[in-house]
Amino acid sequence: MQCLQALEKISRDQPLACLQAGAIMAVLNFVEFFSISVQRVALSTVVNICKKLPSEGPAPFVEAIPKLCDLLQHEDQQLVESVATCLIKISERMCQSSEMLEELCKHELINQVTHIMNLNSRTTVSQPIYNGLIGLLVKLSSGSFVAFRTLYELNISSTLKDVLSTYDLSHGMSSPHLVDGNCNQVHEVLKLLNELLPTSAGDESNQVVLDKELFLADHPDLLQKFGMDILPMLIQVSSLIFTVEIAVFCPFNSFILHASPIAQVVNSGANIYVCYGCLSVISKLVFLSKSDMLVELLKTANIPSFLAGVFTRKDQHLLMLALQIAEMILQKLSDVFLSSFIKEGVFFAIDALLMPEKCSQVMLPVFSGIQPSFGSSQKSSASEVQQCLCYAFDTVASSSVPPCKLDNDTVCNLAKHIKTNYFAPELFDSEKGMTVILQNLKTFSAALCNLINMPVGDDTPVQHEEKFYSILHQIILKLNGREPVSTFEFIESGIVKSLMHYLSNGLYLRDNEEFNGIYDHLLVLGKRFEVFAKLFLSYSDIPIEDSPLSVLIQKLQSALSSLENFPVIPSHGFRQKNSFATVPNGRCVMYPCFRVRFVRGEGETYLSDYPEDVLTVDPFSSSDAIEGYLWPKIFTKRTENGESDAEALEQMESLPILLPSNANSSQGESSGFVDSKSTDLPEMQEDEANLSQFASEQVRFRESKSGETTMSLDETNMGSAGQERQFPTESTTKLKSQCSASGDNDLEDSSPRLLLYLEGRQLDRTLTLYQVILQQLLNSENEFITWAKLWSRVYTVTYKKAVESKQDDPQKHTCLQRKSSISDKIIAYVQNMAFFSGMFACKLASVLDKSSPTYDILFLLKCLESINKCSFHLMSCERIRAFAEGGIDNLDNLKVMVHSVPQNEFVSSRLTEKLEQQMRDTFTLSTGGMPLWCNELIASCPFLFSFEARSRYFRLAAFGPRRLQLHATSRSNSAASNDRQPTAGGLPRKKFLVWRDRILDSATRMMDLHARHKGLLEVEYNEEVGTGLGPTLEFYTLVSHEFQKSGLGMWREDHSSFITSKTLPVSDSGILRNPFGLFPCPWSPTSDSYNGIQFSEVLKFFVLLGQIVAKAIQDGRVLDVPFSKAFYKLILGQDLSLYDIQSFDPELGRTLLEFQAIVNRKMHLESICVENSTLKLDLCFRNTRIEDLYLDFTLPGYPDYVLSSECNHKMVNLSNLEDYIELVVDATMHTGIARQVEAFKSGFNQVFAIKHLHIFTEEELERLLCGECDFWAFNELLEHIKFDHGYTASSPPIINLLEIIQEFEYAQRRAFLQFVTGAPRLPPGGLASLNPKLTIVRKHSSNCADTELPSVMTCANYLKLPPYSSKERMKEKLLYAITEGQGSFHLS
């Protein structure tokens, strides 16, 4: 052992001498007789020698090859990796000689390597070694025909297929190196595939290449098997790369900004190499395949559609390969693929390459502007940082950078050749060149345009609707017909734009957000949306995936993937490094800062010059924050009340927080990223820094004992203590009233005082400085800039004084406009259709032009999602209208069966992956560090992104990256935390003592003290030893149940559901049970108390509930509170209407809808001047006159709630029925609950701004708050439960337990979950998301196991289960434990 250790040390310094002395064989001859530890030392010696093999001269290491090949079969991973390293180095030394490579292949080396490469192999090696072994096969197959033949015979394609299937885009994002020895594994696989498909190239071909080609020609079955395995995976990988267009930042600490227009974004980074490699292999595969084989091969993938996608890229190398593939396919199989090339748009793409002026955004939006980028600046920039793609997969690296093989004419010449030889001249005629489907769709599109332009008279609306329905029906039949419609045909037909234009009545293209004649617009919109809903949602006899709406959504998603080009901006080369940001608050940050020179605008006399030259500015700061820093230093004029400049400056510097805060909340995220180690700031400076937080940090006020108002700032994301300052009450009185009920906490006067300009363009106040600079660079003309230069260059920001303008109160303006433009008789209808106006007034993405096809697709998807979400609303409107017009006679026929499509149908996998990719980037420290499109699309079209992606974005926007990282590990770390020890993410944990018999009182005290704190809250119960995750989760469950008890005056009382369940613990008795969920109880504005309950107390309960809900979401806790869907809509800031009542009170909602149908019929009869006693009978409610119902103007179920005191509102009759409906709806959904909802929001906003939740739907918010309530399959239990310490998945007690769990009733399952985890529901994501993983271990005892009870450690989700003798005994003991073991935490 000592000799080997000495030899190992010598081999480090003198490897050549050891080699010449025969040390390799001396070590290897006896290695099998050593222990594992000695063998490792011996192989380390061989590794040291092989790493320094001489490039020339004799090769004494050759005799060691058989021994090394045998050792590859060893079971020890470290040993195998050492052997593999030796063989990799030997192959590098021998790769210049075919004879020496043949020698390597004689000893079963290839068999051993392919066995290790198999993903199911028992022998696992590290990623670098795995990549090195693939590289070894590359060298062998390149120079050895034997190796080439052996790999085919060993079915290497199956193994490589599995490797490619694991590819994900993070490979291309994470590695800063592309073509050196540390290439990622997919790049190595593509090298191997290129070597396994040899193509002779004139004089460069040698005998080995010719032998390989002859072998494939003689064995077409092997080539076909190879192609069937590889081709689908290559197309999948390439398509995945096109899904996420990696833009802007290139490797080697540089990036290319080449975006004019914005759609032209360079696809750079490692992924473009992978894409080029895939296309290169496909090209060789097509070249080597004969016609009959190629037909079978191309059946595995839609190659024309794939090529059409490649033609939307900008790189000339990719375009050239795509053209070569297209030419070879047309040469061999022109009769088979010519029509599909036309159908999928390949022909039009080739034509667009030659005549880009012919390809306009309107006619050919898919291929507009796809000219290859040949600019010299791009070439020079690319050559400085990376090798040309032409040489990316050469096995022999070049010492110098060779020139590109392509020139300006190569691509165009090949495109011209294909067009001339394979496409008939008549195809160039715009009509004849279209497929029949495309012509039909264009005809339908034109018919819709004619409907839009047709004047609508009094007698034509019905005809319009019938024509619209007919055209829509034909479009759907065509889209869902036997012959598929390609994405190209769908886009080129213009159907999307025509549908949007007709459906929105032209509103979605208008710039102004207010519409003249709003009632007329909404009336038209309502009818058109009803027709749309009737066609798309009335199919009940077909599967959801085949429904018209699903088919249209799928087409739109495919079109969106083809057209959109939103950039992902990775920050290769970014490393966390301390820097000091002078602006806006003078603090250390862990990322680079911009260098900015502030200059007074030309002609500006009110403000002075800024004295300093260049300042460092936090890139995530907003315009408001910059203004807050600049204003005191450049303000020179005297104030209106005669204060001096010095006094004004002193006053303003003492009020750094009183700045406009109307920017996005994302601007303030960077405040949480201060380096916790930087404690050298002076105390006063740190105080100022804390006070000048960004806009997202909330300001709160409370009355002090001295009568003054104390304002204190929320803690930062790190949980540091907030600073407090005293201000006179006069200056904050108005602010206090606003903050108490608003989450925005904006100042009364939020108008900007400065106008800031960057290079002549005014800064958008909703963006961070980073986003502004990034957007301007993206829009610049061919500007190339390195990552380092981005931060080193000096930006000039010009400032001017903003022109003061008095702005009307928008709410008051809206109310006045409504009163002046809408009569009282139609207010209800407008409210019911209000979501239309908001839909068309919203802004999708500022980076998109409204004439862009992508804009049309996004808007149509938004409309379809709204139709799907409001399907009950729209279908009910249609039924009521049919009843009013006599199409329906029976009120029972008003019932609608809605067949909505699942919400995930609207999710764009392409955009979701882009967002996920952006959030994974190390520089995405806040939403202000993301491209602008991310924030805008999340706000306007959140349905495009998966729930998981939006959840991550929500946590980043609301809490910052520390909370985002902590969320995944907080549950596992909870058990080990203590009161004063902060978590790894910098968030301290705060313990709070709780009394079980005073849960609500304890919750109130907890929220009073800690609602605004950013630390994690944990609970311990009085006189109990348990603390941590389990008790905390149980506390939130207990609080949830307390809020559901009767007598609080919070919820609509349903006395029939007041039960005491025998199956649940006693503490659950008295809980209000409503199968449709809880909704606030209406309180009359004139009533202060009811049945001894004070309304002021009710408001306090709602404030507390808001705090609890927000804190649970912030800390990732699960609540057990069944809110109704309508209440979730209120939380999300959505308006409620008559149609929402049925969701929480079906009987009342159904009755009001029937009343509304009678009112509408009465209005219809009056409009056509019908006086007929028979028809008047139709105005009865189920054969009873309205007057005979003896309804008075009180709220149903609440006799003390008087709806109206007017003289004509005593009893309900036909003439005032409409008023009655409006008053009941208003009392139920608006006036009667408005104060409670505002109280809830005010409590919520004390924790974080409730507006962050607006990106979720009602169902998703319930999932976020209350977790999952799913049923578990046996396989799922096995997959997500860990068995340890005496138990395995096949242990009889475990099998019995899993069967018992599956047999549990719903209440028993909830009780079991609460017993094990502390909460009766699983977190979002279900059992798979439970962290720590549910673990079941064997409980040992000295007594008989049947007498023992199971016990748990809830903080670790750890169940100790005795090995009971039978399933019945286990179930008995388990039920006893989960029933009687609730309500306390003690040592187990």
Side-chain angles (χ1 to χ4, degrees):
M1 179 62 179
Q2 292 178 341
C3 291
L4 284 173
Q5 289 175 337
L7 184 60
E8 194 272 336
K9 291 181 179 180
I10 294 172
S11 67
R12 297 180 198 172
D13 301 323
Q14 301 293 331
L16 183 58
C18 292
L19 173 67
Q20 295 170 346
I24 292 181
M25 289 307 301
V27 168
L28 293 179
N29 280 334
F30 303 100
V31 71
E32 62 267 21
F33 299 106
F34 302 146
S35 64
I36 291 294
S37 58
V38 178
Q39 288 179 356
R40 291 174 178 173
V41 175
L43 263 299
S44 295
T45 304
V46 181
V47 169
N48 293 336
I49 297 173
C50 289
K51 285 182 177 179
K52 302 290 184 179
L53 291 176
S55 57
E56 297 178 354
F61 50 81
V62 173
E63 58 182 335
I65 292 175
K67 199 72 176 176
L68 290 172
C69 291
D70 290 340
L71 287 173
L72 275 180
Q73 305 176 53
H74 206 285
E75 294 183 354
D76 182 65
Q77 177 181 343
Q78 186 174 334
L79 203 68
V80 171
E81 290 191 356
S82 296
V83 173
T85 302
C86 295
L87 289 170
I88 291 168
K89 294 300 179 181
I90 290 173
S91 68
E92 292 174 357
R93 165 67 171 79
M94 303 170 70
C95 66
Q96 303 298 329
S97 169
S98 297
E99 293 76 13
M100 297 183 75
L101 291 176
E102 299 283 356
E103 181 67 27
L104 265 177
C105 299
K106 292 180 181 178
H107 307 288
E108 300 293 320
L109 173 61
I110 295 178
N111 299 57
Q112 301 300 335
V113 171
T114 54
H115 175 73
I116 293 175
M117 283 179 57
N118 193 313
L119 297 183
N120 296 322
S121 171
R122 294 179 59 188
T123 306
T124 58
V125 294
S126 64
Q127 193 65 53
I129 298 297
Y130 192 94
N131 295 347
L133 289 175
I134 301 176
L136 183 150
L137 294 182
V138 172
K139 294 178 178 63
L140 290 177
S141 59
S142 174
S144 167
F145 170 73
V146 175
F148 176 87
R149 182 188 63 200
T150 305
L151 286 171
Y152 267 98
E153 292 172 347
L154 291 175
N155 192 22
I156 187 64
S157 62
S158 178
T159 301
L160 297 181
K161 172 186 174 182
D162 293 337
V163 175
L164 285 174
S165 67
T166 64
Y167 176 75
D168 102 36
L169 292 169
S170 60
H171 291 112
M173 292 282 289
S174 59
S175 174
H177 307 290
L178 297 180
V179 288
D180 59 6
N182 296 322
C183 297
N184 64 57
Q185 96 180 4
V186 173
H187 192 264
E188 291 295 330
V189 168
L190 290 172
K191 278 187 178 181
L192 180 56
L193 290 174
N194 270 284
E195 292 300 332
L196 291 173
L197 295 170
T199 52
S200 55
D203 298 335
E204 296 181 7
S205 60
N206 54 39
Q207 188 59 44
V208 174
V209 175
L210 295 176
D211 290 344
K212 292 177 181 179
E213 290 182 340
L214 185 61
F215 173 81
L216 292 180
D218 294 339
H219 298 84
D221 55 328
L222 292 179
L223 180 61
Q224 183 168 356
K225 172 66 171 61
F226 184 92
M228 299 292 276
D229 282 338
I230 296 301
L231 181 63
M233 294 310 305
L234 293 174
I235 290 179
Q236 177 180 320
V237 170
S238 300
S239 300
L240 182 62
I241 293 172
F242 293 153
T243 293
V244 176
E245 192 77 13
I246 306 301
V248 183
F249 295 124
C250 288
F252 299 105
N253 295 339
S254 69
F255 63 85
I256 299 174
L257 286 166
H258 185 88
S260 179
I262 186 66
Q264 185 178 348
V265 179
V266 178
N267 180 4
S268 59
N271 286 312
I272 197 172
Y273 278 77
V274 174
C275 185
Y276 179 84
C278 290
L279 287 171
S280 176
V281 174
I282 294 172
S283 175
K284 290 184 175 183
L285 197 55
V286 172
F287 175 80
L288 293 170
S289 301
K290 296 180 180 179
S291 299
D292 54 344
M293 183 194 307
L294 194 57
V295 172
E296 295 299 318
L297 192 60
L298 296 182
K299 285 181 181 178
T300 61
N302 187 352
I303 196 73
S305 177
F306 170 70
L307 290 176
V310 178
F311 280 123
T312 62
R313 305 305 107 186
K314 311 296 176 185
D315 188 89
Q316 68 269 27
H317 299 86
L318 302 185
L319 291 174
M320 189 65 190
L321 282 175
L323 286 170
Q324 290 172 351
I325 295 169
E327 184 198 18
M328 287 185 287
I329 292 175
L330 288 172
Q331 185 179 4
K332 296 180 179 183
L333 299 167
S334 178
D335 54 335
V336 178
F337 282 95
L338 183 60
S339 60
S340 60
F341 273 29
I342 296 172
K343 182 179 181 65
E344 296 291 347
V346 175
F347 162 70
F348 294 95
I350 294 173
D351 196 33
L353 280 172
L354 298 173
M355 291 184 292
E357 69 281 354
K358 179 182 175 181
C359 178
S360 68
Q361 280 278 324
V362 178
M363 289 297 296
L364 296 163
V366 182
F367 305 112
S368 59
I370 63 166
Q371 284 182 292
S373 302
F374 287 104
S376 59
S377 60
Q378 181 179 351
K379 280 192 172 183
S380 62
S381 175
S383 63
E384 290 173 8
V385 297
Q386 55 197 29
Q387 192 178 28
C388 178
L389 282 173
C390 298
Y391 308 93
F393 292 91
D394 285 1
T395 45
V396 180
S398 174
S399 57
S400 60
V401 180
C404 180
K405 297 177 182 179
L406 302 180
D407 56 41
N408 291 0
D409 299 325
T410 309
V411 173
C412 291
N413 289 341
L414 182 55
K416 190 180 298 181
H417 170 75
I418 295 173
K419 178 178 176 179
T420 304
N421 292 339
Y422 299 105
F423 296 107
E426 59 266 19
L427 290 177
F428 304 114
D429 184 273
S430 58
E431 293 296 330
K432 295 181 180 178
M434 293 188 219
T435 60
V436 176
I437 288 181
L438 182 53
Q439 291 178 10
N440 291 340
L441 290 177
K442 278 185 172 291
T443 302
F444 298 144
S445 177
L448 276 178
C449 291
N450 292 335
L451 268 185
I452 297 169
N453 299 325
M454 183 184 299
V456 181
D458 294 336
D459 56 344
T460 56
V462 175
Q463 296 175 8
H464 259 70
E465 292 172 25
E466 291 175 353
K467 290 180 180 179
F468 180 42
Y469 187 92
S470 175
I471 296 173
L472 274 181
H473 188 64
Q474 293 179 72
I475 292 173
I476 291 304
L477 289 178
K478 187 60 67 176
L479 292 179
N480 209 12
R482 292 183 178 180
E483 187 177 356
V485 178
S486 70
T487 301
F488 171 75
E489 291 170 324
F490 181 73
I491 295 171
E492 292 300 315
S493 66
I495 285 291
V496 176
K497 183 174 286 291
S498 297
L499 276 176
M500 267 316 307
H501 202 50
Y502 183 82
L503 196 58
S504 70
N505 204 24
L507 292 181
Y508 85 107
L509 292 177
R510 297 193 182 183
D511 293 328
N512 59 318
E513 297 187 1
E514 296 179 4
F515 312 120
N516 297 323
I518 186 171
Y519 171 66
D520 295 332
H521 277 300
L522 292 182
L523 194 62
V524 173
L525 289 175
K527 291 181 178 179
R528 292 181 179 180
F529 270 72
E530 287 169 22
V531 173
F532 218 71
K534 180 181 177 182
L535 175 65
F536 283 92
L537 299 171
S538 58
Y539 289 80
S540 59
D541 54 346
I542 58 175
I544 286 291
E545 60 272 13
D546 296 330
S547 68
L549 187 56
S550 290
V551 172
L552 182 56
I553 293 169
Q554 291 164 16
K555 293 298 179 187
L556 288 169
Q557 293 287 13
S558 298
L560 180 62
S561 298
S562 298
L563 290 175
E564 71 84 14
N565 207 1
F566 296 115
V568 174
I569 305 178
S571 57
H572 288 294
F574 167 68
R575 298 290 183 271
Q576 285 194 355
K577 182 180 179 181
N578 282 358
S579 57
F580 188 82
T582 306
V583 181
N585 46 28
R587 69 190 332 177
C588 286
V589 294
M590 295 187 293
Y591 42 83
C593 294
F594 286 126
R595 303 179 68 225
V596 179
R597 179 183 290 110
F598 292 100
V599 178
R600 179 163 57 106
E602 186 177 351
E604 174 60 56
T605 58
Y606 190 87
L607 305 172
S608 63
D609 290 323
Y610 187 76
E612 298 184 40
D613 184 22
V614 177
L615 296 176
T616 54
V617 181
D618 190 318
F620 301 131
S621 56
S622 65
S623 298
D624 294 322
I626 296 174
E627 176 189 293
Y629 177 86
L630 284 179
W631 181 258
K633 297 174 175 57
I634 59 177
F635 177 71
T636 59
K637 296 291 184 181
R638 297 179 64 86
T639 57
E640 293 182 3
N641 59 2
E643 290 178 324
S644 66
D645 293 347
E647 290 171 345
L649 286 172
E650 183 180 355
Q651 182 182 9
M652 289 174 184
E653 287 178 349
S654 68
L655 294 166
I657 194 61
L658 296 181
L659 299 174
S661 56
N662 57 352
N664 278 354
S665 61
S666 59
Q667 269 84 74
E669 306 302 342
S670 65
S671 60
F673 316 116
V674 184
D675 187 3
S676 58
K677 297 178 182 179
S678 59
T679 57
D680 55 346
L681 285 173
E683 183 177 352
M684 187 60 194
Q685 188 179 19
E686 188 171 315
D687 184 52
E688 292 293 330
N690 286 331
L691 277 169
S692 55
Q693 297 294 323
F694 295 127
S696 66
E697 297 178 320
Q698 299 178 9
V699 182
R700 68 179 187 271
F701 297 86
R702 63 175 181 265
E703 293 296 331
S704 64
K705 293 180 180 179
S706 61
E708 294 181 332
T709 303
T710 302
M711 183 187 81
S712 60
L713 186 69
D714 277 10
E715 295 178 351
T716 66
N717 289 331
M718 292 172 58
S720 59
Q723 305 293 325
E724 296 189 356
R725 292 229 175 156
Q726 303 293 324
F727 292 90
T729 307
E730 291 181 0
S731 64
T732 56
T733 303
K734 294 181 179 179
L735 214 78
K736 179 182 175 183
S737 63
Q738 290 182 2
C739 293
S740 63
S742 171
D744 296 334
N745 295 330
D746 291 341
L747 297 176
E748 186 179 41
D749 181 14
S750 60
S751 58
R753 292 175 288 186
L754 291 179
L755 297 180
L756 303 176
Y757 299 86
L758 177 65
E759 298 179 2
R761 297 183 181 179
Q762 186 173 342
L763 269 62
D764 188 333
R765 304 189 74 84
T766 63
L767 307 181
T768 61
L769 184 61
Y770 173 79
Q771 288 176 316
V772 171
I773 291 176
L774 186 63
Q775 199 60 40
Q776 290 201 13
L777 291 175
L778 281 171
N779 291 329
S780 64
E781 294 288 338
N782 301 325
E783 180 167 5
F784 297 88
I785 188 169
T786 63
W787 169 265
K789 189 178 177 183
L790 174 73
W791 304 103
S792 62
R793 69 184 291 182
V794 177
Y795 301 91
T796 299
V797 172
T798 306
Y799 56 85
K800 295 181 180 180
K801 188 178 185 302
V803 179
E804 297 182 1
S805 61
K806 293 186 178 181
Q807 298 179 350
D808 295 336
D809 182 2
Q811 293 182 350
K812 181 179 179 182
H813 180 73
T814 303
C815 294
L816 290 175
Q817 182 188 18
R818 173 174 294 181
K819 288 183 179 180
S820 62
S821 61
I822 306 173
S823 67
D824 293 336
K825 290 295 182 183
I826 58 176
I827 285 180
Y829 186 84
V830 171
Q831 287 177 342
N832 292 339
M833 294 296 173
F835 71 94
F836 293 122
S837 59
M839 180 192 306
F840 297 115
C842 76
K843 185 179 183 181
L844 288 185
S846 59
V847 295
L848 282 180
D849 187 82
K850 286 194 173 184
S851 61
S852 163
T854 305
Y855 192 88
D856 298 331
I857 292 170
L858 289 175
F859 234 123
L860 186 51
L861 279 170
K862 186 175 179 64
C863 288
L864 294 180
E865 195 266 345
S866 296
I867 288 174
N868 189 61
K869 189 186 297 183
C870 303
S871 52
F872 176 78
H873 181 150
L874 291 169
M875 296 295 285
S876 296
C877 283
E878 192 273 334
R879 294 281 85 194
I880 289 175
R881 188 152 64 95
F883 179 85
E885 296 171 358
I888 297 176
D889 293 327
N890 195 331
L891 286 173
D892 289 330
N893 293 332
L894 291 178
K895 295 179 181 178
V896 294
M897 292 295 294
V898 176
H899 304 279
S900 303
V901 302
Q903 190 69 18
N904 58 13
E905 292 266 343
F906 294 94
V907 173
S908 167
S909 57
R910 177 183 174 104
L911 291 178
T912 294
E913 179 58 37
K914 282 190 173 187
L915 181 65
E916 290 276 16
Q917 193 74 20
Q918 190 66 65
M919 289 190 293
R920 283 195 293 266
D921 186 69
T922 52
F923 194 69
T924 307
L925 300 174
S926 79
T927 53
M930 301 172 74
L932 188 54
W933 68 266
C934 296
N935 309 81
E936 291 183 333
L937 277 189
I938 278 278
S940 61
C941 303
F943 55 84
L944 291 171
F945 306 93
S946 69
F947 171 73
E948 291 73 21
R950 275 178 288 128
S951 296
R952 284 176 53 82
Y953 179 91
F954 156 71
R955 294 198 171 274
L956 181 64
F959 313 128
R962 295 181 189 274
R963 279 272 182 180
L964 182 62
Q965 297 166 4
L966 185 68
H967 182 62
T969 57
S970 61
R971 295 176 65 87
S972 59
N973 292 338
S974 291
S977 68
N978 61 57
D979 190 38
R980 297 189 179 184
Q981 181 180 4
T983 65
L987 286 171
R989 301 179 186 272
K990 300 178 184 294
K991 286 186 180 179
F992 192 84
L993 189 64
V994 169
W995 277 259
R996 284 187 179 274
D997 55 349
R998 301 198 301 274
I999 289 294
L1000 281 185
D1001 291 340
S1002 298
T1004 302
R1005 289 190 301 106
M1006 175 192 286
M1007 291 300 113
D1008 286 344
L1009 291 173
H1010 301 301
R1012 295 172 174 84
H1013 293 174
K1014 306 304 179 185
L1016 287 169
L1017 288 180
E1018 291 184 350
V1019 163
E1020 56 182 341
Y1021 293 101
N1022 185 42
E1023 299 182 353
E1024 296 180 23
V1025 295
T1027 186
L1029 179 63
T1032 303
L1033 287 178
E1034 192 203 32
F1035 167 75
Y1036 280 100
T1037 300
L1038 294 177
V1039 172
S1040 302
H1041 294 170
E1042 288 295 318
F1043 277 119
Q1044 299 171 54
K1045 290 189 174 180
S1046 62
L1048 298 180
M1050 296 179 68
W1051 313 111
R1052 297 175 66 88
E1053 299 284 341
D1054 185 358
H1055 297 284
S1056 62
S1057 64
F1058 187 87
I1059 61 168
T1060 302
S1061 175
K1062 296 181 180 179
T1063 59
L1064 295 176
V1066 177
S1067 60
D1068 275 357
S1069 63
I1071 288 181
L1072 289 171
R1073 300 289 184 186
N1074 187 339
F1076 305 101
L1078 301 174
F1079 190 80
C1081 171
W1083 279 75
S1084 172
T1086 61
S1087 176
D1088 293 329
S1089 64
Y1090 179 73
N1091 282 348
I1093 303 173
Q1094 295 296 319
F1095 183 63
S1096 58
E1097 292 298 315
V1098 174
L1099 291 182
K1100 290 179 181 178
F1101 284 135
F1102 272 103
V1103 170
L1104 177 60
L1105 179 62
Q1107 293 170 327
I1108 291 290
V1109 168
K1111 202 65 183 174
I1113 294 174
Q1114 186 183 59
D1115 289 357
R1117 312 308 189 195
V1118 175
L1119 292 183
D1120 186 33
V1121 52
F1123 293 139
S1124 63
K1125 180 181 178 181
F1127 188 64
Y1128 280 118
K1129 291 179 75 172
L1130 290 173
I1131 295 175
L1132 295 173
Q1134 300 175 17
D1135 293 326
L1136 299 183
S1137 69
L1138 165 65
Y1139 302 92
D1140 292 296
I1141 296 179
Q1142 206 160 335
S1143 66
F1144 59 86
D1145 193 335
E1147 185 176 350
L1148 176 62
R1150 186 167 53 251
T1151 302
L1152 291 175
L1153 281 179
E1154 292 173 357
F1155 283 173
Q1156 186 65 52
I1158 294 172
V1159 169
N1160 285 16
R1161 172 171 283 191
K1162 172 178 172 288
M1163 294 171 66
H1164 176 72
L1165 294 177
E1166 290 173 350
S1167 67
I1168 59 177
C1169 302
V1170 172
E1171 291 291 339
N1172 190 311
S1173 59
T1174 304
L1175 291 176
K1176 286 188 175 182
L1177 290 175
D1178 294 336
L1179 299 178
C1180 294
F1181 177 76
R1182 300 189 179 277
N1183 300 322
T1184 304
R1185 294 191 317 141
I1186 298 298
E1187 293 82 353
D1188 294 339
L1189 296 175
Y1190 293 104
L1191 296 173
D1192 58 9
F1193 273 80
T1194 58
L1195 188 61
Y1198 302 88
D1200 293 336
Y1201 194 128
V1202 178
L1203 298 173
S1204 175
S1205 58
E1206 295 182 15
C1207 59
N1208 61 338
H1209 286 165
K1210 298 299 182 182
M1211 299 299 294
V1212 180
N1213 53 45
L1214 189 59
S1215 61
N1216 62 21
L1217 180 59
E1218 183 179 4
D1219 296 336
Y1220 176 76
I1221 297 170
E1222 291 178 14
L1223 291 169
V1224 170
V1225 171
D1226 180 66
T1228 304
M1229 316 289 282
H1230 304 112
T1231 307
I1233 63 169
R1235 292 173 294 171
Q1236 297 93 302
V1237 173
E1238 284 304 308
F1240 175 91
K1241 290 182 178 180
S1242 69
F1244 194 105
N1245 284 320
Q1246 291 176 21
V1247 182
F1248 68 92
I1250 199 170
K1251 63 184 178 182
H1252 288 300
L1253 296 177
H1254 292 178
I1255 63 175
F1256 298 108
T1257 65
E1258 308 89 87
E1259 294 80 11
E1260 290 168 344
L1261 182 55
E1262 180 179 24
R1263 185 180 174 192
L1264 187 72
L1265 178 61
C1266 300
E1268 305 287 354
C1269 191
D1270 56 355
F1271 295 93
W1272 306 331
F1274 191 87
N1275 292 338
E1276 185 183 1
L1277 291 171
L1278 281 176
E1279 183 178 355
H1280 300 302
I1281 296 179
K1282 179 182 177 181
F1283 310 104
D1284 209 348
H1285 295 292
Y1287 283 146
T1288 66
S1290 58
S1291 300
I1294 294 299
I1295 295 175
N1296 289 338
L1297 175 65
L1298 299 186
E1299 290 177 355
I1300 290 170
I1301 292 175
Q1302 285 189 298
E1303 294 168 2
F1304 274 160
E1305 298 174 356
Y1306 174 72
Q1308 292 172 332
R1309 187 170 297 181
R1310 281 170 49 86
F1312 172 76
L1313 269 180
Q1314 182 156 359
F1315 175 67
V1316 176
T1317 69
R1321 301 183 67 156
L1322 291 168
L1327 198 60
S1329 299
L1330 197 61
N1331 188 6
K1333 199 171 186 177
L1334 177 57
T1335 304
I1336 302 175
V1337 301
R1338 178 168 180 155
K1339 184 174 183 178
H1340 298 279
S1341 61
S1342 55
N1343 301 324
C1344 175
D1346 283 352
T1347 63
E1348 293 285 330
L1349 286 173
S1351 58
V1352 293
M1353 294 169 55
T1354 54
C1355 295
N1357 300 326
Y1358 200 82
L1359 174 61
K1360 303 174 186 177
L1361 184 71
Y1364 294 110
S1365 59
S1366 67
K1367 178 180 174 182
E1368 291 73 21
R1369 174 65 67 176
M1370 179 182 289
K1371 186 172 185 178
E1372 175 192 344
K1373 293 293 185 180
L1374 196 59
L1375 284 175
Y1376 182 82
I1378 65 178
T1379 304
E1380 301 298 327
Q1382 305 280 6
S1384 63
F1385 288 89
H1386 296 284
L1387 296 176
S1388 62

